[in-house]
Each structure stands twice: as structure tokens, then as C-alpha cells.
């Protein structure tokens, strides 16, 4: 295996390797870490971030960024809890439609005007959070989930794992197929690699960009709805900084911030890696939850530097 191949393997599967190493170290250092209950807790708590990160993977591979997903997550939860009084279908469709429309509008502005995704989605972050506050009377009103069938979607279990975990697995598998085995996925890679060249090759650049932002909005709304079902309420104080966690998980998983490279497997590994870090900090006991942000930030910085060095190594070979 030459240097280029080694660099590519480390870039694509480095997060998975580090995840395995941390699991081994944690299992040896803490007796309770390797217990099935702790493993299930990490997987369940990570499932909602994983759903958002799947959509973020498509956005970043296309060369974009979506800062609105944290606000869409909260809005999706509030709308789902509100809609649950009208039944399961409304509780699911209302957040999906509204969050999907937000993603559509952002995608259209980015694709048609050429504005920077950072600016457009930052405006979306602020606007969506303002809409959520307006719906919830500045956060004073917390809507409760009143439909048992919808609540069971977030609280029901199968083989010790809650239903959102299985939904996440299905979505991840579908996203892998979509990204690796379809023309749409190849278009996403092409746009992220070189947008001008992709356009010259006949790739529908604008349409593909719109699709990835719609997908990101839909998945963020779905994650919020499932979280509301799990908590039996549309909590309005969640989601702050969640967009940064999603971006961190995607980048840690090997997706380049410059676009054109990445995958769903790495993203899932990145999400689980953040969850395992949090679990290890909890096992120590003497460290606060804020320390997890310090560790995650430092780890992200190391990954970005490593990606830069690996990219240089591939160009030199």
C-alpha cells in the first residue's frame, strides 16, 4: 500500500479507528463503560444528531454549509408536539412540511443568487428560531405530546433500543445508497469537487443544490419530531449549537469542509465518537459536561489539520 492509499484510508476511516480505540480504552478503564446499558444510552442519545448529520453530509460534500439545522430541530419538535393533538399523521407531516419548505427556500436562494451558504443559512437560523419563539409565546408555552401512537414512536423499544435508533439506521443505509449508487450522489460529489467543471459536464448544479438543502431541512425536522415524541413535549430550549455538533461530526468523519469527498459511514462514526467522548467524561465523574466541548473542539481542530496534511500527501504522490 503506497502513501496515497494510506492517506485515503486514514481520511475516510480514521474516525472509525479512533472510535474503536476509545471503546477499548474505555472498556479497560471503567467497568460500567462496556455494559450494554451504557452502550445503548450512547447509541440512543446519538441517534438524533446522526439524523441531522446525515443531511449535513450531503450539504458539505456539495461544498455548502447549513447553520439552520439546530433551529429547525427545535421548530420541528415544537410543531410535532403541537400537531400531535390532531393525530399521528399531522404530528409527523407538519414539521416535515414546514422544515422542508425552509430548506427549499434556502436552497433556492443559494442556487439562484449565488449567495454564500453561510450567510443564507445563518439568516435561516435566526429566522427559524424567531418563528419558533413566536409559535411558543417566546418560549413560555410548551406543547405536550397528546397522541400515544406518536409518543411510542420516540419511546417504544425493540431489543433494548428505542425506535429512533432503527429509524436512524434505515436512513443511514438509504443515504449510503443514494450517495454512492445513484446519479444524484455523483452529482453532489461533482459539484463539491469543482462546480464550474460539473456545470460544463451537464450536471444540474442548481437543482442538486436545492435538493440537498431540502433534504437537510427534512431530516432536521424529523429529528426534532422524534425527539419531541421521546420527551413527550416540544421543548424550546434545545438545539442551541446543535448545528456545530453536526458539522463537527461530519468533518471528524472524514468529509472535507471544502467539499467533494466524504461519506455516511464516516459521519456515523463521527457522531458515535462524540457520544463516546461524552460518555467517557461522564465516567470520570470529576469533569463537567463543559469539558466535553473542549475535548470535541480540540479533536475537531486536530482532524482538520490531519485532513490538510493528508490532502497534501495525496497531491505529492
Amino acid at each position: 500500500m503506497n502513501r496515497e492509499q494510506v492517506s485515503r484510508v486514514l481520511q475516510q476511516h480514521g474516525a472509525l479507528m479512533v472510535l474503536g480505540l476509545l471503546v477499548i480504552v474505555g472498556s479497560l478503564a471503567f467497568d460500567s463503560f462496556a455494559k450494554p446499558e451504557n452502550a445503548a444510552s450512547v447509541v440512543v442519545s446519538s441517534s438524533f444528531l446522526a439524523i441531522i448529520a446525515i443531511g449535513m453530509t450531503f450539504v458539505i460534500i456539495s461544498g455548502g454549509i447549513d447553520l439552520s439545522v439546530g433551529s429547525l430541530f427545535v421548530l420541528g419538535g415544537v410543531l410535532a408536539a403541537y400537531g400531535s393533538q390532531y393525530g399521528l399523521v399531522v404530528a409527523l407531516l407538519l414539521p416535515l412540511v414546514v422544515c422542508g419548505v425552509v430548506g427549499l427556500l434556502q436552497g433556492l436562494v443559494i442556487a439562484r443568487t449565488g449567495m454564500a451558504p453561510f450567510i443564507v443559512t445563518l439568516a435561516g437560523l435566526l429566522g427559524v428560531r424567531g418563528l419558533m419563539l413566536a409559535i411558543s409565546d417566546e418560549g413560555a408555552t410548551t406543547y405536550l405530546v397528546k397522541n400515544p401512537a406518536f409518543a411510542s414512536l420516540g419511546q417504544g423499544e425493540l431489543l433494548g433500543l428505542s425506535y429512533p435508533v432503527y429509524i436512524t439506521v434505515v436512513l443511514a443505509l438509504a443515504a449510503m445508497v443514494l450517495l454512492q449508487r445513484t446519479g444524484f450522489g455523483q452529482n453532489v460529489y461533482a459539484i463539491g469537487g469543482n462546480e464550474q467543471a460539473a456545470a460544463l459536464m451537464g450536471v444540474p448544479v442548481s437543482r442538486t443544490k436545492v435538493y440537498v438543502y431540502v433534504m437537510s431541512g427534512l431530516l432536521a425536522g424529523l429529528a426534532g419530531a422524534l425527539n419531541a415524541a421521546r420527551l413527550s413535549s416540544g421543548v424550546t430550549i434545545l438545539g442551541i449549537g446543535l448545528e456545530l455538533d453536526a458539522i463537527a461530526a461530519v468533518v471528524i468523519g472524514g468529509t472535507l469542509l471544502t467539499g467533494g469527498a466524504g461519506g455516511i459511514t464516516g459521519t456515523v462514526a463521527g457522531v458515535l465518537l462524540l457520544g463516546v467522548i461524552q460518555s467517557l467524561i461522564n465516567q470520570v465523574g470529576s469533569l463537567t459536561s463543559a469539558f466535553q466541548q473542549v475535548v470535541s473542539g480540540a479533536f475537531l481542530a486536530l482532524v482538520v489539520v490531519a485532513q490538510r496534511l493528508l490532502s497534501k500527501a495525496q497531491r505529492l504522490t
Side-chain angles (χ1 to χ4, degrees):
M1 185 178 290
N2 58 36
R3 182 185 299 178
E4 182 180 359
Q5 291 173 324
V6 172
S7 299
R8 186 176 294 109
V9 169
L10 289 176
Q11 181 178 313
Q12 295 177 349
H13 305 293
L16 194 58
M17 297 175 186
V18 175
L19 175 62
L21 179 62
L22 284 183
V23 169
I24 293 173
V25 171
S27 300
L28 294 175
F30 306 102
D31 294 334
S32 60
F33 179 82
K35 290 184 177 180
E37 296 81 6
N38 184 63
S41 175
V42 171
V43 172
V44 171
S45 61
S46 299
S47 59
F48 304 100
L49 176 60
I51 293 174
I52 297 173
I54 289 170
M56 186 69 75
T57 303
F58 281 83
V59 172
I60 294 181
I61 290 176
S62 73
I65 201 78
D66 190 352
L67 300 179
S68 67
V69 292
S71 296
L72 288 172
F73 173 80
V74 184
L75 178 63
V78 171
L79 292 176
Y82 171 79
S84 66
Q85 61 186 309
Y86 302 107
L88 172 63
V89 175
V90 176
L92 283 174
L93 286 183
L94 183 59
L96 289 178
V97 170
V98 174
C99 294
V101 168
V102 173
L104 173 63
L105 293 175
Q106 292 184 147
L108 286 172
V109 172
I110 292 169
R112 301 297 183 185
T113 68
M115 290 181 62
F118 180 90
I119 300 299
V120 175
T121 58
L122 177 60
L125 179 155
L126 299 174
V128 170
R129 187 163 291 276
L131 176 60
M132 181 275 297
L133 291 174
I135 295 173
S136 62
D137 300 321
E138 302 295 328
T141 301
T142 300
Y143 296 104
L144 302 179
V145 173
K146 300 180 179 180
N147 184 274
F150 177 62
S152 67
L153 194 62
Q155 301 170 12
E157 292 188 355
L158 178 65
L159 302 177
L161 296 175
S162 63
Y163 291 156
V165 174
Y166 296 100
I167 294 173
T168 303
V169 171
V170 171
L171 289 172
L173 292 175
M176 289 178 193
V177 174
L178 185 62
L179 194 56
Q180 301 292 339
R181 303 295 182 183
T182 67
F184 170 74
Q186 298 310 306
N187 290 343
V188 173
Y189 279 114
I191 292 171
N194 190 316
E195 184 175 329
Q196 289 73 28
L200 291 174
M201 291 189 298
V203 173
V205 174
S206 295
R207 186 170 62 194
T208 303
K209 284 186 175 182
V210 171
Y211 285 163
V212 296
Y213 284 98
V214 170
M215 183 185 304
S216 182
L218 286 172
L219 290 176
L222 175 62
L226 292 174
N227 190 58
R230 177 170 173 253
L231 300 177
S232 294
S233 63
V235 182
T236 59
I237 59 174
L238 298 177
I240 297 176
L242 190 60
E243 61 280 347
L244 302 181
D245 291 336
I247 294 169
V250 173
V251 175
I252 287 172
T255 297
L256 298 180
L257 270 174
T258 52
I264 302 299
T265 303
T267 292
V268 173
V271 171
L272 291 175
L273 186 55
L274 293 179
V276 167
I277 291 173
Q278 178 65 66
S279 179
L280 287 173
I281 290 173
N282 293 338
Q283 296 288 331
V284 173
S286 59
L287 300 175
T288 65
S289 59
F291 192 74
Q292 191 262 345
Q293 301 296 328
V294 176
V295 175
S296 298
F299 194 81
L300 176 60
L302 288 174
V303 168
V304 172
V305 172
Q307 285 184 350
R308 187 66 178 266
L309 294 176
L310 291 172
S311 296
K312 285 184 177 179
Q314 291 180 30
R315 288 196 297 268
L316 291 174
T317 55

